[in-house]
Amino acid sequence: MLAGKRVVLIIGGGIAAFKALELIRRLREQGAGVTPVLTGAAQEFVTPLSASALAAEKVYRDLFDLNDEHEMGHIELSRAADLIVVAPATADLLAKMAAGLANDLASTLLLATDKRVLVAPAMNLRMWTHPATRRNVATLARDGVLFVGPDEGAMACGEFGPGRMSEPADIVAAVAAALADGPLKGRRIVVTSGPTREPIDPVRYIANRSSGAQGTAVARALAALGARVVFVTGPARVPPPAGVEVVRVETARQMLDAVQQALPADAAVFAAAVADWRAAHESDSKIKKTGKGRAPGVELTENPDILATISKMKEGRPPLVVGFAAETDDVLSNARAKRVRKGCDWILANDVSPETGIMGGAQNAVTLIHADGEEAWPRMSKDRVAARLAARIAGELGPADGG
Ligand code: C5P
């Protein structure tokens, strides 16, 4: 999968550094050459000898090692790389990257490179959720840095939450997606997915049954063809794919914001099941029973239509906007009308009547509707629908400049 590729692996100083050794082994199993770079702190957790033995390569750790600079300076290190991976990416390393600091070999390498960078953050959950880290992550994502993880789970510090480094197998998948040399290389595509959650009060919300399966499959298929995917997802049941930039949102309004932030893009695919309405007034405290048997009325107000808003942008509209039309009656005529009303270029119509088993299921049967006609695709897995859509998008966009 990674034959002939060279990964410069920067190992940061966190307890997850031990997993970086396993990552070296797995990357090599896939055929990649791995050049390990250890920060000073990383050497407190793993020894250069272990990294070197597993990589079967020299380990780099000192910016001022004249011998190294003579043999292979930091510019050379970056030149030789197809991808730079930072795992574990500590809060400190992310902060340095976001600020553009260059005071050791790892940070200098990261500032001096024009290669793609994939980071696998790992830190205590309070560090991960701290506003400073949130800011740094947002800055890096805007700069085009790719993220894999962190996962949620038990952490070495005895706490539970987001901050665990992704498993080596997931990082390898993200590396493969980042290096995918497909027809969408150089393209940036925004994908929305999952349901949205519209709060009524602090404990209740309006939502829907979307699992996020189709949107996730679309994002994965686009990344596999080499696209840089910004994956804007509501609280879905399936985990996001590796190798894409994940932006998690809850409400429709947050989803619209996130999509607008993610532009410009070459294409946008709107696979999310956005709630059409939200509570007009979100109560600050839990709505109580009156005891008189009278149910409270929840006044609803309409949510923004993300697909229509983006389709009708006067400036900066993605050249290709794709929507889905999940219908239970008059599927095709409703979908045709929807394409025109919302102003998108393509719409994928599908029948979500309960008897089809499509909503929440693994299969889908869609018709692609565009201005010049329609194509009914046979019933197939959501993964194959995604792959076919990704291939059609690649055909439509053609090769990127310099791609
Ligand atoms: O719910 P509806 O059938 O109108 O959804 C059709 C398309 O519009 C889907 O692609 C969906 O992601 C998108 N949509 C949206 N924002 C909404 C409602 C729907 O982007 N508020």
Side-chain angles (χ1 to χ4, degrees):
M1 195 157 78
L2 298 172
K5 301 291 185 191
R6 172 142 302 268
V7 172
V8 167
L9 173 63
I10 296 177
I11 305 179
I15 185 68
F18 78 94
K19 286 206 249 176
L21 297 179
E22 160 90 0
L23 177 61
I24 296 177
R25 196 179 63 72
R26 285 182 179 253
L27 286 168
R28 292 197 61 215
E29 251 170 34
Q30 296 296 327
V34 182
T35 310
V37 173
L38 270 66
T39 65
Q43 295 168 56
E44 303 289 331
F45 293 92
V46 292
T47 69
L49 190 60
S50 318
S52 169
L54 284 162
E57 305 239 356
K58 182 176 164 59
V59 167
Y60 294 84
R61 45 196 172 134
D62 189 358
L63 183 59
F64 300 110
D65 184 325
L66 287 181
N67 191 24
D68 287 358
E69 282 294 305
H70 175 67
E71 269 180 28
M72 167 88 101
H74 57 273
I75 303 290
E76 275 304 311
L77 266 179
S78 128
R79 238 179 239 151
D82 293 297
L83 183 72
I84 303 205
V85 176
V86 188
T90 58
D92 177 65
L93 257 174
L94 293 178
K96 278 184 176 166
M97 288 172 72
L101 291 182
N103 58 1
D104 62 4
L105 178 58
S107 53
T108 305
L109 187 61
L110 285 160
L111 192 64
T113 191
D114 57 359
K115 298 297 169 63
R116 296 179 74 188
V117 177
L118 170 73
V119 300
M123 65 197 72
N124 167 275
L125 75 105
R126 259 177 290 286
M127 293 168 87
W128 175 248
T129 51
H130 192 283
T133 306
R134 302 285 85 229
R135 273 198 307 276
N136 293 333
V137 167
T139 302
L140 292 171
R142 262 201 309 280
D143 292 348
V145 169
L146 301 169
F147 282 78
V148 51
D151 291 347
E152 218 168 84
M155 309 218 284
C157 54
E159 292 184 282
F160 188 94
R164 255 170 80 102
M165 188 168 87
S166 288
E167 291 306 318
D170 290 332
I171 301 177
V172 172
V175 168
L179 288 173
D181 221 3
L184 287 171
K185 189 179 161 82
R187 297 296 191 183
R188 181 178 169 89
I189 303 183
V190 180
V191 178
T192 69
S193 182
T196 64
R197 220 177 241 183
E198 312 294 335
I200 296 169
D201 68 17
V203 295
R204 304 177 179 100
Y205 56 79
I206 301 169
N208 60 65
R209 290 186 200 279
S210 164
S211 62
Q214 186 62 81
T216 302
V218 169
R220 186 182 291 118
L222 291 166
L225 295 188
R228 296 167 81 144
V229 176
V230 184
F231 184 65
V232 181
T233 178
R237 278 208 301 278
V238 297
V244 306
E245 182 188 326
V246 182
V247 184
R248 291 176 203 273
V249 297
E250 292 237 330
T251 67
R253 285 176 297 171
Q254 289 167 354
M255 189 172 271
L256 174 61
D257 258 8
V259 169
Q260 286 168 331
Q261 292 276 328
L263 297 180
D266 298 291
V269 180
F270 293 91
V274 183
D276 290 318
W277 302 282
R278 66 174 184 275
H281 312 285
E282 181 187 342
S283 169
D284 290 339
S285 50
K286 187 179 167 193
I287 301 170
K288 294 273 185 219
K289 281 192 215 166
T290 57
K292 293 179 193 138
R294 270 214 354 248
V298 178
E299 193 192 330
L300 297 178
T301 185
E302 204 164 284
N303 263 331
D305 190 312
I306 304 165
L307 172 63
T309 307
I310 300 303
S311 294
K312 291 175 184 167
M313 280 173 73
K314 294 268 178 303
E315 257 170 59
R317 178 194 191 272
L320 180 65
V321 179
V322 183
F324 278 79
E327 305 284 345
T328 53
D329 308 286
D330 302 325
V331 178
L332 289 180
S333 54
N334 275 324
R336 284 178 205 124
K338 195 169 279 182
R339 191 187 75 80
V340 174
R341 193 172 65 245
K342 299 211 185 201
C344 58
D345 303 295
W346 297 355
I347 207 153
L348 285 139
N350 61 339
D351 187 345
V352 290
S353 313
E355 63 275 16
T356 64
I358 283 174
M359 197 90 177
Q363 293 210 317
N364 208 347
V366 307
T367 299
L368 172 62
I369 301 175
H370 41 77
D372 311 317
E374 299 178 6
E375 300 161 27
W377 297 355
R379 193 177 171 107
M380 53 178 99
S381 70
K382 288 183 176 174
D383 287 343
R384 290 207 36 226
V385 168
R388 193 153 170 176
L389 176 63
R392 290 286 270 111
I393 290 174
E396 184 70 16
L397 295 180
D401 292 343

